[in-house]
Amino acid sequence: MQVRRLEITGAFEFTPKSFPDHRGRFVAPFQEAPFVEATGHRLRIGQTNHSVSARNVVRGVHFADVPPGQAKYVYCPQGALLDVVVDVRVGSPTFGRWEAVRLDSTDYRALYLAEGLGHAFLALTDNTVMSYLCSTPYNPSAERGIDPFDPELGLPWDQLDGEPIMSEKDRAAPSLAEAAAAGLLPDYETCLAHYEKLRTEG
């Protein structure tokens, strides 16, 4: 498995080997050994999620309060999507920046987003499936969101070929500046301390 550390601290791209044959294909999108080598800790699984999206669906930007936060290991077993990680941690040297990676059912790339990072994606095909391995169960009282069309963020939605399909909750989400002013964003130093605790615990 190939591993690439993104410029945003706590985000990694994983590209597994794929084994096609006359029966179809076999691939292992998550493998513990390269994950531990990259992050320094095991991935705790508190919940797995599965979403199916039509073309032009935009989900996010989502994150959770830290601690405990919710780390995500995501991949696309069907269809294709543009996955975006957004640094919403106040005090981070890359605060307000984003990186985008295409996830699809051809290469089976995966992204890991540590606790405190924002996550969003655009479905590029109908019936696009996103699979999530989440470090903690869903906690609605700790769930936060940022407007994915906040002009100050400038997320890369140029592949939209129609009106974005979104939840009302995501449409009503505050801008990054509004969320910061309201004290809704994670603190970078608190996130770093949490990551170190995970590494110390093994």
Side-chain angles (χ1 to χ4, degrees):
M1 176 176 278
Q2 295 180 345
V3 182
R4 181 172 69 94
R5 183 189 298 266
L6 276 61
E7 292 184 10
I8 295 174
T9 298
F12 298 84
E13 176 192 273
F14 295 85
T15 305
K17 291 183 179 179
S18 185
F19 301 93
D21 63 20
H22 67 282
R23 299 166 298 172
R25 181 182 304 271
F26 178 85
V27 64
F30 174 77
Q31 299 169 38
E32 184 176 60
F35 178 86
V36 171
E37 183 176 352
T39 66
H41 62 84
R42 291 181 173 179
L43 178 62
R44 299 177 178 180
I45 306 296
Q47 180 170 314
T48 63
N49 297 337
H50 177 99
S51 69
V52 182
S53 300
R55 183 181 178 90
N56 293 326
V57 164
V58 175
R59 297 182 188 261
V61 178
H62 299 151
F63 60 96
D65 293 341
V66 180
Q70 186 185 66
K72 297 175 182 176
Y73 189 97
V74 298
Y75 65 95
C76 176
Q78 178 175 298
L81 57 90
L82 186 69
D83 204 67
V84 183
V85 53
V86 184
D87 195 344
V88 297
R89 301 166 300 186
V90 175
S92 168
T94 53
F95 177 74
R97 290 175 53 186
W98 54 265
E99 294 188 63
V101 175
R102 179 186 169 97
L103 305 183
D104 57 39
S105 54
T106 300
D107 296 324
Y108 291 91
R109 288 188 184 91
L111 273 185
Y112 174 69
L113 302 88
E115 295 86 346
L117 292 175
H119 179 241
F121 72 84
L122 165 65
L124 302 175
T125 68
D126 284 330
N127 296 313
T128 285
V129 174
M130 171 69 96
S131 182
Y132 314 67
L133 307 180
C134 302
S135 64
T136 57
Y138 174 65
N139 178 2
S141 65
E143 175 80 8
R144 309 295 179 195
I146 298 293
D147 178 5
F149 289 92
D150 178 358
E152 294 301 314
L153 282 178
L155 299 185
W157 305 134
D158 52 297
Q159 295 184 65
L160 269 168
D161 59 4
E163 286 297 312
I165 304 169
M166 301 168 60
S167 71
E168 290 304 315
K169 182 178 179 180
D170 286 347
R171 287 188 184 277
S175 68
L176 184 66
E178 290 169 340
L184 300 177
L185 301 180
D187 174 73
Y188 182 60
E189 294 300 326
T190 299
C191 289
L192 291 183
H194 181 74
Y195 309 155
E196 182 58 32
K197 181 181 178 183
L198 292 176
R199 287 189 289 268
T200 300
E201 293 174 349

